[in-house]
Amino acid sequence: MTELALLRDWKGDTVVQRGQKVVREQPRPSANDADAAEAQIVEESRKIGYNTVEYTVEYLADKLRSDDFYIPDYQREYVWEEDRKHRFIESLLMGLPIPFLFFWENDEDGRLEIVDGSQRIRTILEFIDGNLRLGELETLTKVSGFQFDDLKDSRRRKFKNRTIRGVVLDEQADDQARAELFDRINTGSKSANPAEIRRGALPGPFADLVTELAESPTFMTLTPMSQMQENSRTREELVTRFFALSGGLEEYRDRVADYLFGYAKRKSVEIDQNPDIAEMMKREFTRTMEFISENSPYGFKKNQKGTATPKTRYEAIALGTKQALERDPNLRVDVEEFRKLIESSEFAAIVRADGANVRARLVQRISYIRDGLLESKS
């Protein structure tokens, strides 16, 4: 069957008909495209300076114990389950390959910040210090129930001499390069999420404001979530979205992590220059959350029994309410009308739609709540 070229869309792709199916075919990159790609690869590679290292297990434990290695406050809590700790120690005893550790060299005091690997290093220290008793192991069944001191002397020495490789990012990398590397070289079993990345790369007044608001009692009540999500700073991600996604979105290009990072960077500078901005943002956030608390029958949950805070639902209700209050500061709505709005089949379809981060989808769900509140005001 021959292919019939129909048209070229706005990207320059050729759209063809294959039987009953329409297929978009992208043109092959040209020689000029290849040159531009090579130039970009070279330019971006220059921004990242790092060294590879190899540390013994004993060295890692000693450095963490002495605080020469440190865990910054943006890192997640010690969240590994006991079974995961036991399996990791079993892997070390068996000599299995361990993912790279990832550090950043602090130029101020020379210490190494553990960017990825804190769960592993803390588990090593806990085991060597005798504070971890192994449970039922899958392969080394005869080691089940052991503590470190229960092993033979020779095995304890071999364990301490076991090496793990790592990457040390130098202090010259800019914050964007740090954030990118945090995200890409996060090779542990749990990757750092965007909130942790921003917190690590952009400490300062905006990050402090986000943390404060994320821990406010009203917001915590409105946003139920698992302990794992709490430890991973999910509420901080939601607060950042509240501010960053409620504006004109002129620079938004569907890559929400990049957009939030740029916003957080700019806002931190603005607040540093004018602290009154933080107070204004705090009042704006508090007013919106209090309005939702008073008028929404179950906050951001899907229903009364809900135990989670769906991201798209949160964005729609939080940002839609914020924009409605901006248009009518004296807005009053009936709780029953609010309930009908968020329980409608139309709203359910909007928040479940594919392409959640596409700008048009984002604007659609925010506008739905904003316009609905303004139309139903009492």
Side-chain angles (χ1 to χ4, degrees):
M1 182 179 294
T2 60
E3 297 180 348
L4 174 63
L6 301 177
L7 52 88
R8 284 189 178 273
D9 70 358
W10 64 275
K11 292 182 178 179
D13 297 350
T14 300
V15 180
V16 300
Q17 182 80 38
R18 287 184 178 150
Q20 299 298 315
K21 191 174 182 180
V22 176
V23 181
R24 173 176 286 122
E25 293 189 341
Q26 293 182 329
R28 293 291 302 274
S30 66
N32 288 337
D33 292 332
D35 289 340
E38 178 62 22
Q40 185 181 48
I41 292 171
V42 172
E43 176 62 25
E44 293 300 321
S45 299
R46 288 172 179 165
K47 296 180 181 178
I48 303 172
Y50 65 91
N51 295 311
T52 56
V53 295
E54 193 159 358
Y55 295 136
T56 66
V57 164
E58 182 176 32
Y59 181 87
L60 292 168
D62 287 345
K63 288 298 182 180
L64 183 59
R65 190 187 294 111
S66 65
D67 206 33
D68 286 336
F69 289 171
Y70 71 97
I71 303 165
D73 59 4
Y74 70 86
Q75 278 275 18
R76 63 175 61 87
E77 301 296 328
Y78 193 18
V79 296
W80 267 14
E81 305 88 349
E82 291 300 304
D83 287 347
R84 181 166 291 176
K85 297 178 187 178
H86 303 162
R87 187 175 178 82
F88 174 66
I89 295 299
E90 182 182 35
S91 296
L92 283 174
L93 288 168
M94 294 172 64
L96 298 177
I98 303 299
F100 271 50
L101 303 171
F102 182 36
F103 305 91
W104 175 69
E105 187 174 31
N106 189 321
D107 191 39
E108 294 183 1
D109 58 18
R111 296 190 301 162
L112 293 185
E113 174 185 299
I114 305 172
V115 177
D116 180 62
S118 67
Q119 305 294 324
R120 282 167 280 164
I121 299 176
R122 280 186 278 196
T123 298
I124 289 170
L125 179 61
E126 186 179 5
F127 184 59
I128 288 178
D129 283 354
N131 297 318
L132 176 64
R133 182 182 295 278
L134 300 176
E136 292 296 322
L137 302 183
E138 182 177 340
T139 302
L140 301 180
T141 55
K142 296 186 183 300
V143 188
S144 298
F146 274 48
Q147 290 181 285
F148 183 68
D149 286 345
D150 296 325
L151 297 169
K152 295 184 64 173
D153 290 348
S154 59
R155 179 53 56 188
R156 291 202 301 271
R157 294 190 189 98
K158 290 176 181 178
F159 182 85
K160 288 182 177 181
N161 289 333
R162 172 86 157 84
T163 61
I164 302 178
R165 303 188 72 181
V167 172
V168 180
L169 175 65
D170 69 38
E171 75 281 1
Q172 301 302 321
D174 61 29
D175 47 22
Q176 180 68 61
R178 281 182 64 193
E180 183 72 10
L181 209 57
F182 286 6
D183 194 25
R184 292 180 183 274
I185 309 184
N186 223 305
T187 54
S189 59
K190 293 188 178 182
S191 297
N193 59 48
E196 293 173 320
I197 292 169
R198 287 193 300 272
R199 184 70 181 176
L202 300 172
F206 179 69
D208 294 340
L209 172 66
V210 167
T211 299
E212 177 186 353
L213 296 178
E215 295 173 353
S216 62
T218 299
F219 188 63
M220 293 181 70
T221 300
L222 289 171
T223 55
M225 59 186 61
S226 68
Q227 187 62 52
M228 185 71 72
Q229 289 176 312
E230 289 189 9
N231 291 341
S232 299
R233 299 183 179 273
T234 299
R235 285 197 177 92
E236 293 183 19
E237 175 75 3
L238 296 181
V239 173
T240 302
R241 285 172 179 261
F242 174 84
F243 292 116
L245 301 179
S246 60
L249 302 177
E250 290 84 0
E251 299 179 15
Y252 188 79
R253 296 293 183 273
D254 302 345
R255 286 177 57 87
V256 67
D258 292 347
Y259 182 78
L260 295 182
F261 185 92
Y263 176 88
K265 185 174 182 178
R266 293 192 304 273
K267 195 57 64 174
S268 189
V269 173
E270 292 176 12
I271 295 175
D272 192 47
Q273 295 173 346
N274 182 4
D276 290 342
I277 293 176
E279 288 302 314
M280 180 188 68
M281 295 173 70
K282 183 177 179 179
R283 289 195 298 269
E284 185 177 54
F285 181 85
T286 301
R287 179 182 65 166
T288 302
M289 295 306 147
E290 288 179 349
F291 183 95
I292 294 171
S293 179
E294 294 169 2
N295 295 283
S296 175
Y298 24 79
F300 301 112
K301 299 183 296 185
K302 290 183 178 180
N303 51 54
Q304 193 64 45
K305 296 182 179 180
T307 59
T309 303
K311 182 184 65 179
T312 53
R313 190 178 186 86
Y314 163 82
E315 290 172 346
I317 297 174
L319 302 181
T321 300
K322 176 179 181 291
Q323 291 186 4
L325 288 171
E326 288 173 344
R327 297 191 181 189
D328 184 357
N330 298 315
L331 180 65
R332 295 289 184 274
V333 297
D334 183 77
V335 175
E336 182 61 19
E337 291 300 317
F338 204 136
R339 184 188 66 77
K340 291 179 181 178
L341 185 66
I342 61 179
E343 288 185 351
S344 69
S345 57
E346 184 178 358
F347 181 59
I350 289 174
V351 296
R352 286 200 308 265
D354 294 335
N357 289 330
V358 174
R359 178 177 174 177
R361 296 291 192 193
L362 175 63
V363 172
Q364 180 187 29
R365 57 181 178 267
I366 294 173
S367 301
Y368 181 84
I369 294 297
R370 180 197 65 209
D371 297 343
L373 289 176
L374 293 173
E375 292 171 3
S376 64
K377 64 182 180 180
S378 56

